[in-house]
Amino acid sequence: MKHYLLSIQQPDGGPAAPEVLEPIMRDVKAFNDELRAAGAWVFAGGLHDPGTATVVRVRDGEVLVTDGPYAEGKEHVGGLSVIAAPDLDAALEWGGKLARATTLPVEVRPFQGEPGEHLP
């Protein structure tokens, strides 16, 4: 089984109203429960908004730390799931289920190498 990153692309502008967010969070929980039951769940979590980000980089041999996201745009990664799937088609199926649950676009990307190379 390969690992895939499912990243939720969330529009900027803060969280949705509770009456919109509550059914989405219920559907995301059901998605995570289904992933676990299928043995495909590796890790998942939501992220704070991009304003909480800190960028660390090296310039001229010195480590520089700056506030804010690395790249600004109209959307940002709002959450992610790392899943185990036998192939891209299966990962895309899970991505579609997460897109339905969140009502947001989901980017599906394979990890390089084998799971044993990046997991203990």
Side-chain angles (χ1 to χ4, degrees):
M1 297 273 255
K2 300 285 276 180
H3 284 169
Y4 294 84
L5 172 68
L6 309 181
S7 55
I8 300 164
Q9 306 302 309
Q10 181 174 327
D12 286 346
E19 63 272 10
V20 173
L21 194 55
E22 286 172 13
I24 290 171
M25 295 312 294
R26 182 191 64 235
D27 291 347
V28 169
K29 181 186 179 319
F31 169 79
N32 284 332
D33 291 346
E34 184 180 354
L35 269 179
R36 284 184 174 99
W41 189 89
V42 176
F43 174 83
L47 299 170
H48 287 283
D49 72 63
T52 65
T54 304
V55 177
V56 180
R57 70 180 87 209
V58 175
R59 185 171 291 145
D60 299 324
E62 297 293 322
V63 175
L64 301 174
V65 178
T66 55
D67 291 336
Y70 175 73
E72 294 190 36
K74 295 180 182 178
E75 296 177 322
H76 60 274
V77 177
L80 57 94
S81 293
V82 177
I83 65 164
D87 55 35
L88 179 59
D89 288 338
L92 291 172
E93 272 191 54
W94 286 115
K97 289 180 180 189
L98 183 56
R100 264 192 207 91
T102 62
T103 71
L104 296 170
V106 173
E107 179 181 273
V108 178
R109 291 179 67 183
F111 277 82
Q112 295 179 359
E114 297 300 319
E117 296 174 31
H118 52 263
L119 283 179

